[in-house]
Amino acid sequence: MDLELTAGDVAFRDEVRAFLSAHLTPELRAAGAALTSVFCDPRHSLPWQRILHAKGWAAPSWPREYGGPGWSEVQRAIFAAECARAGAPSLAPMGLKMVGPVIMGYGTPEQKAYYLPRILSGEDYWCQGYSEPGSGSDLASLQLRAVSDGDHYVLDGSKIWTTHAQHANRMFCLVRTSTSGKPQQGITFLLLEMDTPGISVKPIITLAGEHEVNQVFFDSVRVPKSGRIGEENQGWTVAKYLLEFERGGGSAPGLQVGLQRARRIAAAAHDDDPAHRRRLAEAEIAVTAIDISERRVLSALAGGKNPGPASSMLKINGTEAMQRVDELSIAGLGAYAWADQPEAREPGANAEAVGPSEGLVAMPRYLNNRAASIYGGSNEIQRDIIARLVLGL
């Protein structure tokens, strides 16, 4: 793996930088600076997605045949790094990075033709219906029933921790269509519309005071079978494929920006504590190792293959490094790490603003990212996957 940029790579990097400089407005940069998780409010992420879509850059990992730019692994890494450094707001991952690749891999030609352009344009905004009360990392125990009724399934039950369900017009959902055999054998993967009668969304306000997640209830909800991805009772295979994309890679640029933030905080506080400097150095080593690992995995994935168990390794290292970097920012801010003014985190109408003070977002970011080592399958589960699939234990 050659980590040196070629002349063509440098030219591409300069093109990306020029584009970001020309199109990232102060308001969009402020929205990026106010992020406390990977999810940006669609008031800001969707306008940015439309700008990228007009350029053909909304889905860096998508192949050209489905509307992506057809970039190399190096180009994708350059683009992610430059967006992170420029402070661009993140795009919603549920469509572009999760259900989009699943539709490419398992969808019918009709489903691909209908859904993929709408994902690219942002016309469809997706949420994920996986976890349920009592079914988190043990996802195979889910109980949301889907009873066959002619050309429809009738859904009864609930989903929980459903990120941005209050904004989404569509959901990709795991449902139980059979109770015979192993639990994994009775699960089906469905696409559904959130305005279907019988669906209700109830907010869950986090410890950070934010409304990002929800519980979604299904009361005799009729979903057309045309929304099924793959065969009935074969949704577990589809779900595992999606989780590999949810878990794997792409965290290094954000970690590098977070580490730079922690260093700025320490410098502003005139923090000369040797122990804190040592922790910053250790975090930098970890982030550098993650960067190299992600590049190695990307290099090995030429041809559009899914990442497999490598996604578990990247998920563990990336989320735990993220939490370590958050802790360094909190430690550097000390008593100024928490300001109970959620409205101050809004980018607001001031177009000249370039972002909120770190004291307003550091603690919400820390609290939100405590869940990073749990969602997408807890890191303990990821270690089990590595032990089984890589080490053969």
Side-chain angles (χ1 to χ4, degrees):
M1 181 181 61
D2 187 359
L3 298 181
E4 295 297 324
L5 297 182
T6 66
D9 295 333
V10 172
F12 175 74
R13 183 196 63 191
D14 292 343
E15 180 187 3
V16 172
R17 287 180 177 177
F19 177 84
L20 294 173
S21 177
H23 293 87
L24 265 180
T25 64
E27 191 170 42
L28 287 172
R29 291 179 190 270
L35 283 176
T36 59
S37 78
V38 297
F39 289 91
C40 181
D41 191 297
R43 292 175 298 164
H44 311 296
S45 65
L46 287 178
W48 179 230
Q49 181 170 336
R50 286 191 285 269
I51 292 171
L52 290 173
H53 180 51
K55 180 69 172 175
W57 289 0
S61 63
W62 285 26
R64 200 180 301 276
E65 65 181 294
Y66 293 122
W71 285 342
S72 68
E73 292 79 11
V74 172
Q75 286 176 311
R76 294 202 296 269
I78 290 171
F79 181 74
E82 294 303 324
C83 284
R85 292 184 185 117
S90 58
L91 301 187
M94 297 295 190
L96 293 167
K97 295 184 178 181
M98 295 167 66
V99 75
V102 162
I103 293 172
M104 293 177 207
Y106 288 90
T108 65
E110 294 77 16
Q111 289 170 332
K112 294 175 185 178
Y114 180 75
Y115 288 112
L116 294 180
R118 295 168 66 93
I119 292 172
L120 276 177
S121 67
E123 184 175 356
D124 283 342
Y125 194 89
W126 292 80
C127 62
Q128 178 187 48
Y130 271 29
S131 294
E132 297 179 7
S135 298
S137 289
D138 182 19
L139 195 57
S141 66
L142 65 88
Q143 296 298 315
L144 175 62
R145 292 298 307 275
V147 177
S148 179
D149 184 14
D151 293 332
H152 289 75
Y153 292 110
V154 180
L155 276 57
D156 285 282
S158 71
K159 295 292 181 179
I160 201 167
W161 314 124
T162 315
T163 305
H164 280 197
Q166 75 272 31
H167 301 303
N169 67 315
R170 294 191 186 274
M171 172 189 281
F172 56 93
C173 187
L174 293 180
V175 299
R176 182 157 300 285
T177 43
S178 174
T179 56
S180 61
K182 293 182 178 180
Q184 293 91 336
Q185 295 173 342
I187 292 173
T188 298
F189 194 104
L190 279 183
L191 310 181
L192 57 87
E193 297 184 14
M194 289 295 288
D195 62 357
T196 305
I199 295 178
S200 58
V201 178
K202 303 299 182 184
I204 299 174
I205 306 303
T206 67
L207 187 61
E210 298 174 321
H211 178 195
E212 183 172 285
V213 294
N214 306 269
Q215 185 166 6
V216 182
F217 296 90
F218 299 82
D219 183 10
S220 298
V221 176
R222 297 182 63 83
V223 177
K225 291 183 178 178
S226 59
R228 187 181 68 219
I229 299 292
E231 297 298 319
E232 184 173 287
N233 298 326
Q234 298 300 311
W236 188 248
T237 300
V238 182
K240 289 192 298 181
Y241 182 79
L242 184 146
L243 283 170
E244 290 174 6
F245 287 96
E246 179 180 358
R247 293 167 180 162
S251 62
L255 288 171
Q256 290 164 344
V257 170
L259 186 58
Q260 292 168 4
R261 183 190 306 120
R263 288 193 178 280
R264 288 198 304 270
I265 289 171
H270 305 289
D271 189 346
D272 295 324
D273 178 11
H276 190 65
R277 292 202 307 271
R278 185 187 70 249
R279 288 192 292 270
L280 284 166
E282 290 170 346
E284 184 170 4
I285 292 170
V287 170
T288 300
I290 290 168
D291 184 28
I292 299 299
S293 296
E294 288 186 349
R295 295 191 195 197
R296 185 181 297 115
V297 171
L298 286 172
S299 179
L301 292 180
K305 297 179 182 178
N306 58 311
S311 65
S312 294
M313 178 269 292
L314 294 175
K315 200 265 183 181
I316 293 167
N317 291 337
T319 55
E320 292 180 358
M322 177 194 303
Q323 292 170 347
R324 180 189 296 187
V325 170
D326 289 340
E327 291 167 2
L328 288 168
S329 291
I330 294 296
L333 285 164
Y336 294 96
W338 177 253
D340 190 15
Q341 301 176 54
E343 67 279 1
R345 299 199 297 271
E346 292 291 331
N350 181 6
E352 299 303 317
V354 294
S357 95
E358 281 304 320
L360 296 175
V361 296
M363 182 61 78
R365 185 183 293 123
Y366 166 83
L367 293 171
N368 193 305
N369 287 337
R370 297 311 299 167
S373 51
I374 300 174
Y375 60 61
S378 72
N379 285 9
E380 291 77 10
I381 295 294
Q382 305 315 308
R383 290 182 168 91
D384 285 347
I385 291 172
I386 292 170
R388 186 173 68 255
L389 299 183
V390 179
L391 302 179
L393 300 178

PDB file of all heavy atoms in Angstrom, residues 83-100:
ATOM      1  N   CYS A  83     -13.230  17.244   3.617  1.00  0.00           N
ATOM      2  CA  CYS A  83     -14.524  17.677   4.172  1.00  0.00           C
ATOM      3  C   CYS A  83     -14.422  17.855   5.679  1.00  0.00           C
ATOM      4  O   CYS A  83     -14.965  18.815   6.237  1.00  0.00           O
ATOM      5  CB  CYS A  83     -15.612  16.661   3.828  1.00  0.00           C
ATOM      6  SG  CYS A  83     -16.182  16.720   2.119  1.00  0.00           S
ATOM      7  N   ALA A  84     -13.735  16.931   6.353  1.00  0.00           N
ATOM      8  CA  ALA A  84     -13.577  17.036   7.800  1.00  0.00           C
ATOM      9  C   ALA A  84     -12.777  18.275   8.167  1.00  0.00           C
ATOM     10  O   ALA A  84     -13.144  19.027   9.075  1.00  0.00           O
ATOM     11  CB  ALA A  84     -12.909  15.779   8.348  1.00  0.00           C
ATOM     12  N   ARG A  85     -11.688  18.518   7.471  1.00  0.00           N
ATOM     13  CA  ARG A  85     -10.836  19.669   7.779  1.00  0.00           C
ATOM     14  C   ARG A  85     -11.554  20.987   7.497  1.00  0.00           C
ATOM     15  O   ARG A  85     -11.328  21.983   8.184  1.00  0.00           O
ATOM     16  CB  ARG A  85      -9.553  19.582   6.974  1.00  0.00           C
ATOM     17  CG  ARG A  85      -8.645  18.422   7.382  1.00  0.00           C
ATOM     18  CD  ARG A  85      -7.328  18.442   6.617  1.00  0.00           C
ATOM     19  NE  ARG A  85      -6.538  17.264   6.940  1.00  0.00           N
ATOM     20  CZ  ARG A  85      -6.194  16.335   6.056  1.00  0.00           C
ATOM     21  NH1 ARG A  85      -6.552  16.464   4.788  1.00  0.00           N
ATOM     22  NH2 ARG A  85      -5.475  15.284   6.433  1.00  0.00           N
ATOM     23  N   ALA A  86     -12.410  20.997   6.469  1.00  0.00           N
ATOM     24  CA  ALA A  86     -13.118  22.225   6.114  1.00  0.00           C
ATOM     25  C   ALA A  86     -14.319  22.483   7.009  1.00  0.00           C
ATOM     26  O   ALA A  86     -14.914  23.558   6.952  1.00  0.00           O
ATOM     27  CB  ALA A  86     -13.562  22.158   4.649  1.00  0.00           C
ATOM     28  N   GLY A  87     -14.704  21.495   7.819  1.00  0.00           N
ATOM     29  CA  GLY A  87     -15.842  21.658   8.714  1.00  0.00           C
ATOM     30  C   GLY A  87     -17.178  21.512   8.030  1.00  0.00           C
ATOM     31  O   GLY A  87     -18.179  22.108   8.447  1.00  0.00           O
ATOM     32  N   ALA A  88     -17.249  20.690   6.990  1.00  0.00           N
ATOM     33  CA  ALA A  88     -18.511  20.473   6.288  1.00  0.00           C
ATOM     34  C   ALA A  88     -19.486  19.697   7.166  1.00  0.00           C
ATOM     35  O   ALA A  88     -19.073  18.799   7.905  1.00  0.00           O
ATOM     36  CB  ALA A  88     -18.273  19.707   4.991  1.00  0.00           C
ATOM     37  N   PRO A  89     -20.772  20.020   7.102  1.00  0.00           N
ATOM     38  CA  PRO A  89     -21.749  19.215   7.851  1.00  0.00           C
ATOM     39  C   PRO A  89     -21.806  17.814   7.261  1.00  0.00           C
ATOM     40  O   PRO A  89     -21.617  17.612   6.060  1.00  0.00           O
ATOM     41  CB  PRO A  89     -23.073  19.965   7.643  1.00  0.00           C
ATOM     42  CG  PRO A  89     -22.873  20.762   6.395  1.00  0.00           C
ATOM     43  CD  PRO A  89     -21.423  21.109   6.343  1.00  0.00           C
ATOM     44  N   SER A  90     -22.030  16.823   8.116  1.00  0.00           N
ATOM     45  CA  SER A  90     -22.100  15.441   7.640  1.00  0.00           C
ATOM     46  C   SER A  90     -23.434  15.186   6.948  1.00  0.00           C
ATOM     47  O   SER A  90     -24.454  15.802   7.271  1.00  0.00           O
ATOM     48  CB  SER A  90     -21.926  14.474   8.813  1.00  0.00           C
ATOM     49  OG  SER A  90     -22.922  14.710   9.802  1.00  0.00           O
ATOM     50  N   LEU A  91     -23.411  14.286   5.977  1.00  0.00           N
ATOM     51  CA  LEU A  91     -24.638  13.870   5.307  1.00  0.00           C
ATOM     52  C   LEU A  91     -25.247  12.699   6.070  1.00  0.00           C
ATOM     53  O   LEU A  91     -24.545  11.912   6.691  1.00  0.00           O
ATOM     54  CB  LEU A  91     -24.351  13.461   3.863  1.00  0.00           C
ATOM     55  CG  LEU A  91     -23.717  14.524   2.960  1.00  0.00           C
ATOM     56  CD1 LEU A  91     -23.651  14.009   1.520  1.00  0.00           C
ATOM     57  CD2 LEU A  91     -24.464  15.842   3.026  1.00  0.00           C
ATOM     58  N   ALA A  92     -26.565  12.583   5.990  1.00  0.00           N
ATOM     59  CA  ALA A  92     -27.258  11.499   6.691  1.00  0.00           C
ATOM     60  C   ALA A  92     -26.774  10.157   6.152  1.00  0.00           C
ATOM     61  O   ALA A  92     -26.877   9.892   4.951  1.00  0.00           O
ATOM     62  CB  ALA A  92     -28.766  11.634   6.515  1.00  0.00           C
ATOM     63  N   PRO A  93     -26.243   9.280   7.011  1.00  0.00           N
ATOM     64  CA  PRO A  93     -25.666   8.025   6.530  1.00  0.00           C
ATOM     65  C   PRO A  93     -26.674   6.930   6.229  1.00  0.00           C
ATOM     66  O   PRO A  93     -26.342   5.961   5.531  1.00  0.00           O
ATOM     67  CB  PRO A  93     -24.753   7.616   7.684  1.00  0.00           C
ATOM     68  CG  PRO A  93     -25.423   8.177   8.908  1.00  0.00           C
ATOM     69  CD  PRO A  93     -26.029   9.481   8.455  1.00  0.00           C
ATOM     70  N   MET A  94     -27.892   7.030   6.752  1.00  0.00           N
ATOM     71  CA  MET A  94     -28.837   5.919   6.640  1.00  0.00           C
ATOM     72  C   MET A  94     -29.141   5.548   5.192  1.00  0.00           C
ATOM     73  O   MET A  94     -29.266   4.369   4.857  1.00  0.00           O
ATOM     74  CB  MET A  94     -30.136   6.258   7.365  1.00  0.00           C
ATOM     75  CG  MET A  94     -30.000   6.462   8.850  1.00  0.00           C
ATOM     76  SD  MET A  94     -29.507   4.942   9.697  1.00  0.00           S
ATOM     77  CE  MET A  94     -29.740   5.435  11.404  1.00  0.00           C
ATOM     78  N   GLY A  95     -29.268   6.555   4.335  1.00  0.00           N
ATOM     79  CA  GLY A  95     -29.549   6.276   2.936  1.00  0.00           C
ATOM     80  C   GLY A  95     -28.301   6.026   2.135  1.00  0.00           C
ATOM     81  O   GLY A  95     -28.142   4.990   1.479  1.00  0.00           O
ATOM     82  N   LEU A  96     -27.368   6.982   2.179  1.00  0.00           N
ATOM     83  CA  LEU A  96     -26.195   6.940   1.318  1.00  0.00           C
ATOM     84  C   LEU A  96     -25.225   5.814   1.669  1.00  0.00           C
ATOM     85  O   LEU A  96     -24.638   5.191   0.785  1.00  0.00           O
ATOM     86  CB  LEU A  96     -25.461   8.280   1.382  1.00  0.00           C
ATOM     87  CG  LEU A  96     -26.208   9.477   0.789  1.00  0.00           C
ATOM     88  CD1 LEU A  96     -25.529  10.782   1.188  1.00  0.00           C
ATOM     89  CD2 LEU A  96     -26.288   9.358  -0.724  1.00  0.00           C
ATOM     90  N   LYS A  97     -25.028   5.543   2.965  1.00  0.00           N
ATOM     91  CA  LYS A  97     -24.010   4.592   3.373  1.00  0.00           C
ATOM     92  C   LYS A  97     -24.556   3.245   3.828  1.00  0.00           C
ATOM     93  O   LYS A  97     -23.783   2.295   3.988  1.00  0.00           O
ATOM     94  CB  LYS A  97     -23.169   5.191   4.508  1.00  0.00           C
ATOM     95  CG  LYS A  97     -22.364   6.408   4.090  1.00  0.00           C
ATOM     96  CD  LYS A  97     -21.484   6.897   5.233  1.00  0.00           C
ATOM     97  CE  LYS A  97     -20.637   8.083   4.809  1.00  0.00           C
ATOM     98  NZ  LYS A  97     -19.756   8.565   5.922  1.00  0.00           N
ATOM     99  N   MET A  98     -25.870   3.150   4.037  1.00  0.00           N
ATOM    100  CA  MET A  98     -26.395   1.921   4.612  1.00  0.00           C
ATOM    101  C   MET A  98     -27.411   1.247   3.694  1.00  0.00           C
ATOM    102  O   MET A  98     -27.123   0.223   3.079  1.00  0.00           O
ATOM    103  CB  MET A  98     -26.966   2.221   6.009  1.00  0.00           C
ATOM    104  CG  MET A  98     -25.861   2.670   6.977  1.00  0.00           C
ATOM    105  SD  MET A  98     -26.446   3.391   8.527  1.00  0.00           S
ATOM    106  CE  MET A  98     -27.235   1.994   9.276  1.00  0.00           C
ATOM    107  N   VAL A  99     -28.619   1.818   3.561  1.00  0.00           N
ATOM    108  CA  VAL A  99     -29.617   1.112   2.766  1.00  0.00           C
ATOM    109  C   VAL A  99     -29.313   1.205   1.270  1.00  0.00           C
ATOM    110  O   VAL A  99     -29.663   0.298   0.505  1.00  0.00           O
ATOM    111  CB  VAL A  99     -31.043   1.636   3.067  1.00  0.00           C
ATOM    112  CG1 VAL A  99     -31.311   2.996   2.423  1.00  0.00           C
ATOM    113  CG2 VAL A  99     -32.090   0.622   2.612  1.00  0.00           C
ATOM    114  N   GLY A 100     -28.613   2.266   0.833  1.00  0.00           N
ATOM    115  CA  GLY A 100     -28.248   2.361  -0.576  1.00  0.00           C
ATOM    116  C   GLY A 100     -27.418   1.172  -1.037  1.00  0.00           C
ATOM    117  O   GLY A 100     -27.772   0.489  -2.018  1.00  0.00           O
TER     118      GLY A 100
END
